[in-house]
Amino acid sequence: MVGSGVHILRRLILLTSILTILAYPVLSITLHELKLEILSQVAHGLFNKKKITIYLADNSFIEKKKDANKMGIVFVDNCSSADLIVAGSLKHLSKDCLKKTIFATNYPLFKNRHTIGALFWQKGRPVLILKKRALERKHLKVKKYLKKYVH
Amino acid sequence: MFVKGKGIAAILGLLFIGFVNISSASNLSSLLGEYSQLGDLSQKTKKEAAGNLIVFTRADLDRMKIKTLAELINYLPFMRYYEDETNLSSIGYAPYQYGTFNPLIIYINDREITSPFFGNGFQIVSKIDLDFIDHIEVYLGIPSYDIGIHSSHCVIKLYTKKGYRENSTVLGSYYGTYNTNSEYISAGKGSENLSYFIYFNRKFLYRKRLHHRVDDRVYDLSRDLNYYNFYGELDTRNFRVSGEALWTDLDNFIGRSWDITTKKANSKFRYLSGSIDYFSDDKSWKISLSYSNYLTRGEQKSDGPMGIIQVPPIYLTYNNFYLKLGGKLVDVNVEKNLKFGKNELLVGIFGRYKGFNFKSYKTYIEGLGTLDFKLPSYNREYVYDLYFENKYLINPKNIFMLSLKSEKHLLNGGIRNYTLFGAKTGYIFNNDKITFKTFLEYKTNPISSYVLFRQAYLGGRRVSPSQSSGGSIELDYRKANSKYSFLFIENFNKNFIYFDGRSYNNHNYSIIFTGLSLKYRYNFDPFNKIELSGWYLRANHMPYLSKKLTGLLGDNIKTKNFNYFGAYISLFNKIGNFSLFNSLSYRGIFNDNRPSFNLCSTIIYNPTDRLTIYLKGINLLNRGVTTTYIAINPLTGKVSTLNHVQPIDRTVWLGVEYTF
């Protein structure tokens, strides 16, 4: 057994030294950055403004990144001053905020009449849906690239 | 080469059809496609540092329309899919070596799928449809203990669909070759705080019938399988409660007939299982409890003999038997994760009770009536594990790990208790571009209850647990849309258990497996990709049954070196509402069986968001992996063979799915 261990070790060391030469780091997009980008596209497809204020009522959905500014998004701490509320639940929203444009982050809340649409998972895939009637009630006209998501 | 001229052009045309006019997805569509990949559940469950990992994501499985684990083996390095003479799945089939070698351990979530007597979960789940599975992780070698406590040469983890990821009710059906048909329904809803998922599947799998001629009589050998499968799961943030029920009716192909004169070979299997898992909020505690109940009824009849029964003072051959075998399995597992300094320590204990009971095992002999087999009293086993694993994080990119395990097996019926030991050490480097892993491992392997029981029945001498030691190196290199993977393994197996025709023995030679695998993947965009893979495995001193058999089987066990090769090319494409998957894989054994080429193709069409129509073909060239079955009459020395039998038939299925 000792002999076989030495044999393996010798091969491992040889291959390790060849292969590790290739290693060097690069950057790639994270899940939160990706969700932020999707959210930015949805927000800008709904509102014709350069800077859109968003109140995040679902902290698990996305991290409040400072570089959101580059995507024309400003996160606010008060829902009353937000153009768009991103929520996973309506529990902590005041009555005034419930009248605002609410975008859901899960399926059960998508079914709620207060929301205009959602990004949720269905059949293991992310689905973006905007509710036609809810958008009409809010007098929101979506940009062309969002129309295929309106149902 | 069997594929020539027009054949090659046709295959390449089919493979590359997806590259014609690939439509560029819009920006938001692309982002959602990337979200689908980055947000895949496997990103939460997979543990890169846990071993040499291959992941089949939800998107992969959906687009390949992989129905069974038997199909999946096609895309794993170093493996070939076989079925033994009783139509049970296997990864290393050799005649008369039933139950000696089980390289795969299967888990559904954290529940090990195994059976108390045969100890082989792959045989239970390999042929059932996987429409209730979200994604699959394959760990080659001994993975980390937070993946699975019991391991062999490979661990396959099947992760079930979650209600909060489904939010739909799906009704599906497919129909195809030899009148195979399957219907399934699944429903899942909820949020991560509370969700449920339920699934029911009924499948009638009809296979190509094989015939064996003996003198003027032709024997019809069936490999059909009918089953009903139910799975249900309730998830909260802290608990997972799941239940599964499986009823199968399996035709046992050749069965145990010594001269392939099988008239009837059938078994009915019922499997009921329930489990509950608790996870603390900070995920530092995990407690699991599971209970499984098994019942097998088997009946076989043949014209010729299939075994010997002792009727004192003489021995007689018999040509039929009926058995009813029950079994229970209870698993308890408690794990605690501790963090101190740069260390992450996992400590766990595991306990298992397994019991089996032959409620009936009898044969009918003309003139003597019904005779019961006199069976050993061994019917119970307790297994206790104590294990720990420490990961030392030099920094988030560099990890050293060390794991140790001790496992005690306490058996009744005069079978000697034994203790197993496992150790693994490794180094993992991981950044956005490179993943480098190297592991050294040593372990002793459990002996299946089937082998111990049969050895006691045959009166053979005690066999010892086999030992495995080995190492691996893996390098994954990612650049832009490309990923290159390299894997080298070497594994030494000492005291390998094999059946020599009279009883089980420990093999004198150390069997050495040396493997090399290369894989390349290129993502054109989130919906289009190509994968190329090739591997080589050398197995030295494998116990081998010589084809020039005369006399008793035991005199004909030789050792032989095998050189296995495998490769595949797979293409995933999306064109408008069509999704295409095409794959051509190759398996070959140097200087032995003819090489196999397996062409698989799946075309999925979504006319609406709710409706899916798909056409799926497996082994379209009818040149898949083949097995030669050998049956021996030890009294006469007569050898009967069945050559070039494909465990995976040429199959075409047309399916439809509707989402409510």
Side-chain angles (χ1 to χ4, degrees), chain A residues 12 26 41 121-124, chain B residues 27 58 165-167 432:
Chain A
L12 288 175
V26 290
Q41 292 228 9
W121 290 83
Q122 190 172 49
K123 285 186 79 181
Chain B
N27 194 20
R58 173 66 180 272
R165 288 281 181 137
E166 297 308 308
N167 291 311
D432 291 330

Side-chain angles (χ1 to χ4, degrees), chain B residues 438-509:
Chain B
T438 182
F439 299 103
L440 278 174
E441 58 199 32
Y442 170 81
K443 69 188 170 78
T444 40
N445 302 302
I447 310 168
S448 81
S449 294
Y450 173 82
V451 168
L452 292 168
F453 185 86
R454 194 150 176 243
Q455 186 77 330
Y457 178 74
L458 296 167
R461 61 180 182 169
R462 191 170 77 93
V463 286
S464 306
S466 63
Q467 297 123 42
S468 305
S469 60
S472 66
I473 291 178
E474 180 184 334
L475 177 72
D476 296 327
Y477 172 69
R478 295 172 287 275
K479 185 181 179 187
N481 295 336
S482 298
K483 183 182 176 186
Y484 304 83
S485 300
F486 167 90
L487 174 65
F488 170 79
I489 60 156
E490 187 141 86
N491 199 285
F492 294 79
N493 295 270
K494 206 176 169 187
N495 287 327
F496 197 82
I497 296 172
Y498 72 102
F499 185 67
D500 72 0
R502 299 185 189 94
S503 63
Y504 292 92
N505 285 295
N506 289 109
H507 196 33
N508 292 329
Y509 293 91

Side-chain angles (χ1 to χ4, degrees), chain A residues 20-68:
Chain A
T20 43
I21 294 165
L22 297 166
Y24 65 94
V26 290
L27 297 170
S28 71
I29 194 164
T30 66
L31 184 60
H32 280 286
E33 287 165 346
L34 189 61
K35 285 197 272 191
L36 189 64
E37 209 167 321
I38 294 169
L39 185 61
S40 164
Q41 292 228 9
V42 172
H44 285 277
L46 289 169
F47 302 99
N48 200 12
K49 291 169 79 176
K50 279 189 177 176
K51 291 276 179 196
I52 295 161
T53 51
I54 292 179
Y55 175 74
L56 205 56
D58 179 0
N59 287 320
S60 66
F61 178 68
I62 211 164
E63 286 170 7
K64 289 180 188 175
K65 293 240 176 193
K66 284 180 183 173
D67 58 1

Side-chain angles (χ1 to χ4, degrees), chain A residues 1 4-5 7-9 11-16 19-20 22-31 34-35 37-38 41-42 60-61 106-108 119-128 145-146 148-149 151, chain B residues 27-29 31-32 34-36 38-40 58 62 164-168 170 189-191 397 429 431-434 436 438-440 442 469-473 475 477 486 488 490 492 494 514 609 612 657 659:
Chain A
M1 198 51 68
S4 64
H7 184 63
I8 295 166
L9 202 60
R11 290 197 185 201
L12 288 175
I13 290 166
L14 177 68
L15 284 161
T16 306
L19 296 172
T20 43
L22 297 166
Y24 65 94
V26 290
L27 297 170
S28 71
I29 194 164
T30 66
L31 184 60
L34 189 61
K35 285 197 272 191
E37 209 167 321
I38 294 169
Q41 292 228 9
V42 172
S60 66
F61 178 68
N106 60 49
Y107 181 78
L119 178 64
F120 60 94
W121 290 83
Q122 190 172 49
K123 285 186 79 181
R125 290 188 288 268
V127 176
L128 173 64
Y145 67 86
L146 270 187
K148 66 184 270 196
Y149 301 102
H151 294 281
Chain B
N27 194 20
L28 193 50
S29 294
L31 288 173
L32 288 169
E34 283 182 49
Y35 182 33
S36 176
L38 274 178
D40 190 81
R58 173 66 180 272
D62 278 352
Y164 60 85
R165 288 281 181 137
E166 297 308 308
N167 291 311
S168 59
V170 178
K189 278 191 176 57
S191 67
K397 289 177 183 170
F429 171 81
N431 68 19
D432 291 330
K433 194 150 193 170
I434 295 278
F436 173 77
T438 182
F439 299 103
L440 278 174
Y442 170 81
S469 60
S472 66
I473 291 178
L475 177 72
Y477 172 69
F486 167 90
F488 170 79
E490 187 141 86
F492 294 79
K494 206 176 169 187
T514 306
D609 288 342
T612 301
E657 265 182 16
T659 307

Side-chain angles (χ1 to χ4, degrees), chain B residues 381-384 407-411 417-420 446:
Chain B
E381 192 170 327
Y382 293 93
V383 182
Y384 301 101
E407 183 173 300
K408 185 85 182 167
H409 287 247
L410 304 175
L411 306 93
N417 301 333
Y418 61 91
T419 304
L420 303 177

